[in-house]
Amino acid sequence: MPFSAGIELPEPHRDTTRKIIHIDMDAFFSSVEERDCPSLRGKPVIIAKHPRKTGGKGIVATANYVARQYGIRSAMSAYEAYKRCPEGIFIEGNFSAYREASLQIRDIMHRYTDLVEPMSIDEAYLDVTENKLNIKSATLLAKNIQQDIWRETRLTSSAGVSYNKFIAKIASDYRKPAGLTVITPEQALAFIHQLPIEKFPGIGPKTSKKMHELKIYTGADLYQMEQLDLIHHFGKAGISYYRKARGIDNKPLNLQRERKSVGKEHTYFQPLTSEAAVLKELRRLAKEVEAVLERHGKQCKTIVVKIRYRSFETLTRQTSFTAPIRDSADIYSYAAELWDKFGQVDREIRLLGVTATKLEPVEHQMISLFPYHL
Ligand code: TTP
Ligand code: MG
């Protein structure tokens, strides 16, 4: 008897009202190399240190389409790639050029909409339901974006157009390079059902293997499964698999809006009545602000202190400086100075807050190359 016997879950709703584009650059790193060095064209190009230089250690970042004909893929060992294609041209990679191209592409996308969710150095989702050009056809928009990218960077991209992120992503991968695939709500189910399960975004080799053991090889096989059985086998991910087999993915774009400030505050049910207690709390808040700034790679040029008295009267006071800071000791010293000037300990403190604003990025070298945080 199936695990789900006797229990029914409500059927999820399929939102088909949005227009989503997914853009993914073709053989990105190697295309930048070929653009900048035309003699590479037509030859197998592999982005990795030559195994001779590394004692066989390195990993392939990517390979152009010529090299892929030899079975060379991203994440393969460079030594394996060398065995498959000894005449291959190994290039270490010029990350600042890739980053620059990536930022150029990002700028082009923002000419169409500000709803852009970058997924990695070479791919992004755009929600063009409403767009800056007031063009209704997402297909036409995708074509225009691809043309702009080509004209301005001499690089090709592939685009997928559909009503959600999940299908747009599969679509962009469907015809590469320089492809454009549109999947309408009417076509979606047939498109998903013919798809091998390992091509579903988010289903990696481990899950594919487990699916195969359950005799799930395609989207159509997945569609046949009961939701509760999928939950039984895959936990919470089972809910998402059930929906994906039905062309449902209502997740909005995840926009990394620029943070304007970082603030921490605490309410004291037992109001603070001594200077020492206030300073101790400011020191703690400064440490918390420092931690968030660090996580976001930001520093600040203004510190704001918020004080609420037992009477509930609240004041905020701020101080600005020209040299940006990010250390908790500096944050604390400005906060303590503000407290010194404006705080009244005899009124009893119910809440304290410390906020860093006028944020700017901390300039540092790219330490890790993958994942790419731009
Ligand atoms: P992908 O978009 O996965 O690959 P791609 O652009 O090279 O090729 P495709 O035409 O199939 O999209 O990744 C983008 C870039 O990210 C790629 O050019 C190199 C880099 N990368 C790595 O460094 N390591 C990896 O394991 C992968 C998958 C990519
Ligand atoms: Mg790519």
Side-chain angles (χ1 to χ4, degrees):
M1 186 189 296
F3 173 75
S4 57
I7 306 174
E8 285 209 6
L9 289 174
E11 278 307 305
H13 159 73
R14 185 170 78 134
D15 180 358
T16 57
T17 59
R18 295 180 301 157
K19 294 173 186 167
I20 308 291
I21 300 176
H22 181 258
I23 303 261
D24 187 298
M25 303 301 294
D26 302 322
F28 185 49
F29 291 4
S30 46
S31 300
V32 173
E33 297 299 338
E34 287 177 48
R35 176 194 69 184
D36 297 343
C37 180
S39 66
L40 292 172
R41 283 179 205 156
K43 298 182 183 148
V45 175
I46 300 154
I47 306 296
K49 279 191 184 158
H50 198 287
R52 225 183 288 126
K53 288 192 194 157
T54 59
K57 273 188 195 137
I59 297 281
V60 175
T62 193
N64 69 356
Y65 285 73
V66 181
R68 287 184 201 189
Q69 284 172 2
Y70 296 81
I72 297 169
R73 297 281 178 271
S74 291
M76 178 181 272
S77 83
Y79 180 61
E80 175 67 32
Y82 176 72
K83 279 197 294 186
R84 289 180 187 224
C85 179
E87 68 276 26
I89 300 171
F90 286 78
I91 298 177
E92 280 182 29
N94 173 3
F95 291 91
S96 60
Y98 311 150
R99 194 174 142 90
E100 190 185 319
S102 179
L103 292 176
Q104 253 179 303
I105 293 156
R106 198 72 43 81
D107 280 347
I108 293 172
M109 293 174 174
H110 276 277
R111 298 208 292 257
Y112 290 80
T113 174
D114 282 326
L115 303 186
V116 176
E117 178 184 2
M119 295 306 291
S120 75
I121 195 165
D122 90 324
E123 63 174 304
Y125 293 104
L126 293 86
D127 184 331
V128 295
T129 317
E130 317 254 331
N131 57 78
K132 294 181 184 176
L133 304 186
N134 284 325
I135 293 177
K136 285 229 157 45
S137 161
T139 310
L140 180 60
L141 285 163
K143 261 188 207 151
N144 288 352
I145 295 168
Q146 286 177 296
Q147 272 169 10
D148 286 358
I149 293 176
W150 169 250
R151 217 178 295 126
E152 294 171 40
T153 69
R154 291 286 141 185
L155 297 168
T156 64
S157 58
S158 295
V161 177
S162 196
Y163 57 90
N164 65 32
K165 285 163 58 170
F166 157 66
I167 303 176
K169 178 158 171 84
I170 307 173
S172 74
D173 196 44
Y174 197 65
R175 278 190 210 104
K176 255 181 172 291
L180 169 63
T181 302
V182 182
I183 305 294
T184 64
E186 294 73 33
Q187 298 164 331
L189 285 197
F191 180 66
I192 292 165
H193 289 181
Q194 54 81 37
L195 205 69
I197 208 70
E198 52 276 9
K199 288 247 172 188
F200 276 57
I203 296 190
K206 247 173 96 180
T207 310
S208 301
K209 190 163 170 268
K210 206 165 158 190
M211 294 243 176
H212 291 169
E213 282 161 14
L214 294 165
K215 306 227 157 20
I216 305 170
Y217 298 98
T218 63
D221 298 335
L222 187 61
Y223 185 84
Q224 298 301 326
M225 297 290 291
E226 297 282 349
Q227 183 162 207
L228 277 166
D229 289 335
L230 287 173
I231 295 169
H232 173 67
H233 290 293
F234 300 101
K236 208 171 141 195
I239 300 175
S240 131
Y241 300 151
Y242 182 84
R243 292 176 178 206
K244 285 180 174 163
R246 284 155 185 74
I248 300 171
D249 169 24
N250 302 337
K251 275 196 301 295
L253 267 62
N254 187 4
L255 304 174
Q256 300 159 332
R257 289 208 186 84
E258 274 294 291
R259 274 192 90 118
K260 293 247 170 354
S261 68
V262 168
K264 289 284 170 185
E265 57 180 48
H266 267 274
T267 300
Y268 308 101
F269 295 104
Q270 196 74 285
L272 307 177
T273 52
S274 78
E275 192 83 26
V278 168
L279 293 177
K280 189 171 162 220
E281 284 304 303
L282 289 178
R283 202 182 288 276
R284 181 157 79 103
L285 291 163
K287 281 223 169 76
E288 291 179 14
V289 170
E290 175 193 58
V292 182
L293 284 176
E294 192 181 325
R295 220 169 28 246
H296 290 270
K298 293 281 162 83
Q299 50 193 352
C300 69
K301 287 166 87 173
T302 294
I303 290 291
V304 187
V305 163
K306 179 170 164 187
I307 303 166
R308 176 169 299 145
Y309 295 113
R310 189 176 198 144
S311 62
F312 273 96
E313 190 191 320
T314 306
L315 67 141
T316 56
R317 292 291 181 270
Q318 64 181 60
T319 177
S320 296
F321 28 89
T322 44
I325 60 164
R326 59 192 153 119
D327 270 17
S328 69
D330 294 331
I331 299 169
Y332 168 72
S333 85
Y334 283 111
E337 201 177 293
L338 287 167
W339 160 259
D340 212 40
K341 262 195 193 156
F342 301 106
Q344 293 169 276
V345 76
D346 52 348
R347 295 185 60 189
E348 300 191 7
I349 314 302
R350 182 185 291 276
L351 176 148
L352 283 174
V354 172
T355 297
T357 70
K358 299 255 180 64
L359 301 186
E360 51 184 56
V362 177
E363 294 301 337
H364 52 193
Q365 290 176 326
M366 275 224 298
I367 303 158
S368 78
L369 296 168
F370 206 63
Y372 304 97
H373 292 299
L374 289 176

